[in-house]
Each structure stands twice: as structure tokens, then as C-alpha cells.
Amino acid sequence: MPETVQSTERAAGLPYERSAGSTIALTGATGFLASHLLLRLLPHDVRVVALVRKPPQRALSSLACALRSAGAPEETVQRIPHQVRAVQVGLDRPQLGLSEAEFRTISDSVDAVWHCAALTKLHGAAEELHRTNVEGTRHILALATAGGRKPPLFHVSTAFVAGAQLEGVVPERQLDSAHGFLTPYEESKHRAENLVHRWARDNGRSATIFRPSVLLSERSALPRAPQHTYAVLAAKLALFLRHSLRDLPSPAPPPSSDRTSQPASFADQLVVRLVGAPDSGINLLQVEDAALAMLRLAENAPRGPGARVHHIVHPVETPVEQINNALQRSTPRLRLELVTNRPDPTGLERAIDRFGAEATAYLGLRRRYERSSLRDLECRHLLNPPAPIDSSYLDAALSPPPSAH
């Protein structure tokens, strides 16, 4: 395993005693988070029924790429043909588009069901988000119910089901919708969570709901591998700027006696105003810590009936100003300004509002998240607290992959 994985797990102990040699059904296997889960599970002989959108061989190839990008050694990647069976499904279709017999066979062949797949377009079409995130969850719950084995469910939600609650502490429990929502995405995930709570209550089943915040990594993604949210955002900003800066004059070179690496002057920068609060913060967490925390919680999850909620979050919110400064360093000639009012947005600002919602949707948050579940594991020395998200980490996380230089 990569050194970062080894050092973290050596300190906290491996969380796989119960999982070793088991079989899980997994959606979203080729995604950013799930690939980091598999990086840790496959070496412990966990077998996987990967429920995928692509034809099986293409999906397994994508999984190999995602694992390598996550830092998996080659011996872990070589386990894929022996431990992973890909089944092509449609999340938005009854019985996932499978025959009744195959649907029941999968349910009766697994020890747990992990639902990681989701449509994550923050401002996507409400109907499309509902089909994938809500109806998709309903069909995964049906899978967990179809056989007689009654596997526990592990459902990946999001910390942003808190919606438009801008301040205070978000509790680790079922949430109502009293505050409303900032994006259609988080509303769809809230509805999916409610389905899980109702399923566990009505059927006397065990469900664990994970609410991760914004996950990121300082590793540069391989080509065609999944990327974290802010890496995608940095690439979008670079694309927007490449188009917009054609109309700006090139900055004059510094005198020969002062040819050091200097930031562009304000006159040479393209200013983008983002509506937000200067004291706002966003919870960012290293994906490696998130994956380890989820597996540790899964290993210690009670098997009794009911749904239990865990925030997978960093103990400290990252100031938006710090994130914006890192984005500016990653994108030459960009200057981001937080403003409380912007009555006359430019064409570029409107484009970023529409297509770069990662940068604009959560700039007014002053809230924090209860993390009693993780704090308990940390106090029992079953989990190490995550390292700080500092400027050097953000610079590495936003650095474009080598091919993009």
C-alpha cells in the first residue's frame, strides 16, 4: 500500500477483522471515494459484486485505472480479476434492470451492501437527480431486501443534506427540511436519506449512513481517473480563463534584473467576484482519512435494527479565503473576490455560477458538523485525527496532472 495508507493504518490498527473474506455489493466502484475503499478492502480478500453502468470489461478497466490513481500497488490491482465481479445495472430501473432471479441471487450472495453511487451535479436537473439519487437508492434498498440473507446497508450520503442551514452545529441524526436547500443535488440526497431511515425502521434492518464533506487528495489523478471536486473546479477555472484572457493584453515582462517568479499585478489579473461571506468556511477532508473512518465505523457498526448517521468530516472548517487563495495560485492571472452583492455579473461570472457551482454554492456557510462518532473512535485510539488542511496541501490538491502542464 502507499506509505500514507500504511502509516495511518499502522497507528490506528487495521479495521478489517470482520470484513476479511466477506462479499459486498458495491455501487460507484470506479468513483473517487469507492476506489479508496477498495484500495483498503481488496488486500484483505474482500470479494466485490460491483454494480456498474458500463459493460463489465470496461468497468473493470476503469476500476484498475481508479485504483492506480488512488495509489494502489500493482499487487492490489492484480486482485481485480479474482475478487471483483462486475454486473451491469441501471440504478434508475426496477430491480436495477436485472431479472428477478439474478436480483435475488445477488442479494443472497453478499454480506453487506455499500451504496456509493450518485449523480453529483449540484445544479443538475431535478428529475435526473431524483431518478439516480432517490429512485436509485430505492432500488438498492429493494436489493438488500430481495433475499433471505438480510445484509446490512452502508449508504453514502453527504454532509450537505444540511441544506440552507448556514450557521450552528449540524447534528448526526435524521434531518428535516425546515431550512430548505441550496442546490437540487442536496435535496435529492436528503430524500434518499429519508428512504433509508424509513426502510430501516419499517423492516427492522440495520443501516449506516455516512455523510462525507468535500473530499480531496493531494495526489494528481491519472488520465481518465476520477478526480476530486476542487481538482475539477480548478480545471474549469483554467478553461474559462483560457477563453476569457484572449481579450486581455499580455503582462509586460519584468526588468532583466528582477526576473523572479512574481505574482501578476492587479492590472494584469482577471477579477471574478463571488457572492459570499468573508468569514465563511467549507469542510474539506482528505479522502484517505474518509475511507479509513468509514471502514472503521462499518467494522464497529451494531447489527441491530435502525439507521445510524455519521458525519465524515474534518474537525476544522477551511476558510473560503484560504481556498480561494489556493485557486488563485493554481490559475495564473485569476483574482477571486468575495462580495456580499453583485448586481451586474460579467459573462465569465455568470458562466462560473452556472458551470462552476463548486466555487459558488457554499460561500455563505458558517456552520459546523457534529462528529461524535469520529471523536469517539479517536479517543479510543481506533482512528487518528486528520492532519490540518493547510496551504501546502491545497496547492498539491489543486496542482494539475503532469499532462496538463
Side-chain angles (χ1 to χ4, degrees):
M1 290 185 182
E3 183 177 348
T4 54
V5 174
Q6 287 179 329
S7 59
T8 300
E9 296 177 4
R10 222 177 4 246
L14 292 172
Y16 313 119
E17 288 81 2
R18 187 188 289 181
S19 301
S22 64
T23 300
I24 65 170
L26 174 66
T27 68
T30 60
F32 181 62
L33 171 59
S35 59
H36 282 82
L37 294 171
L38 289 176
L39 166 62
R40 291 152 179 80
L41 289 173
L42 290 179
H44 294 270
D45 297 322
V46 174
R47 296 177 298 277
V48 180
V49 180
L51 306 175
V52 295
R53 290 178 301 146
K54 299 177 181 178
Q57 283 306 118
R58 285 180 55 200
L60 294 178
S61 177
S62 294
L63 175 57
C65 177
L67 281 174
R68 290 188 177 100
S69 189
E74 198 58 28
E75 58 260 33
T76 298
V77 178
Q78 294 303 318
R79 288 174 173 266
I80 291 175
H82 309 288
Q83 292 175 231
V84 181
R85 178 169 74 93
V87 179
Q88 188 174 15
V89 301
L91 268 184
D92 58 349
R93 299 172 63 189
Q95 293 184 173
L96 303 175
L98 302 173
S99 68
E100 183 176 351
E102 187 170 13
F103 194 65
R104 182 182 292 271
T105 297
I106 291 174
S107 181
D108 273 332
S109 69
V110 299
D111 301 294
V113 176
W114 283 73
H115 183 31
C116 297
L119 181 63
T120 58
K121 297 177 183 177
L122 296 188
H123 289 293
E127 289 184 3
E128 186 182 11
L129 287 163
H130 182 85
R131 281 197 306 272
T132 300
N133 296 347
V134 182
E135 294 305 312
T137 297
R138 192 188 309 277
H139 299 145
I140 291 299
L141 294 174
L143 175 70
T145 312
R149 198 165 186 175
K150 297 184 178 181
L153 174 76
F154 298 95
H155 174 76
V156 178
S157 182
T158 172
F160 294 93
V161 293
Q165 178 183 339
L166 303 183
E167 300 179 340
V169 179
V170 181
E172 288 182 307
R173 58 171 171 77
Q174 186 172 9
L175 299 176
D176 59 33
S177 56
H179 294 281
F181 300 98
L182 297 174
T183 69
Y185 162 71
E186 60 197 30
E187 183 174 8
S188 73
K189 294 295 284 183
H190 182 272
R191 291 178 178 174
E193 260 200 34
N194 283 341
L195 287 180
V196 175
H197 280 283
R198 189 178 309 122
W199 173 82
R201 182 177 61 249
D202 293 349
N203 294 279
R205 296 290 295 276
S206 172
T208 301
I209 297 173
F210 299 116
R211 288 182 186 158
S213 59
V214 179
L215 304 182
L216 68 170
S217 173
E218 60 186 341
R219 296 182 63 91
S220 292
L222 296 176
R224 295 183 297 280
Q227 294 181 289
H228 62 81
T229 296
Y230 276 98
V232 174
L233 173 59
K236 286 180 180 178
L237 289 176
L239 182 63
F240 291 148
L241 288 172
R242 194 178 306 128
H243 182 78
S244 300
L245 287 174
R246 291 182 306 185
D247 299 328
L248 292 181
S250 299
S256 57
S257 59
D258 188 30
R259 292 186 182 272
T260 56
S261 176
Q262 305 248 353
S265 69
F266 280 0
D268 295 329
Q269 289 180 311
L270 186 64
V271 177
V272 174
R273 297 165 300 167
L274 303 176
V275 179
D279 59 344
S280 59
I282 299 177
N283 196 284
L284 307 180
L285 179 65
Q286 299 92 332
V287 68
E288 297 85 358
D289 290 281
L292 186 58
M294 290 166 62
L295 291 170
R296 177 64 74 185
L297 287 165
E299 194 71 16
N300 288 271
R303 292 298 187 250
R308 298 154 189 88
V309 178
H310 307 291
H311 283 141
I312 310 299
V313 296
H314 201 282
V316 179
E317 314 301 306
T318 302
V320 165
E321 289 282 10
Q322 185 178 353
I323 298 171
N324 285 351
N325 287 339
L327 287 167
Q328 290 172 158
R329 290 192 296 271
S330 75
T331 312
R333 302 186 72 187
L334 170 69
R335 180 154 63 99
L336 298 175
E337 288 186 354
L338 275 179
V339 298
T340 57
N341 186 36
R342 190 191 60 192
D344 55 342
T346 65
L348 176 59
E349 289 166 345
R350 285 194 297 269
I352 290 176
D353 286 346
R354 182 177 179 185
F355 299 107
E358 304 92 340
T360 61
Y362 300 113
L363 301 184
L365 300 183
R366 300 183 184 91
R367 70 191 183 207
R368 294 176 294 112
Y369 302 90
E370 179 188 358
R371 59 188 306 275
S372 299
S373 304
L374 297 189
R375 191 167 60 248
D376 175 66
L377 292 178
E378 291 163 1
C379 289
R380 293 160 57 195
H381 304 289
L382 296 175
L383 191 71
N384 287 333
I389 300 287
D390 56 18
S391 295
S392 61
Y393 184 91
L394 287 173
D395 287 343
L398 294 176
S399 177
S403 60
H405 284 294

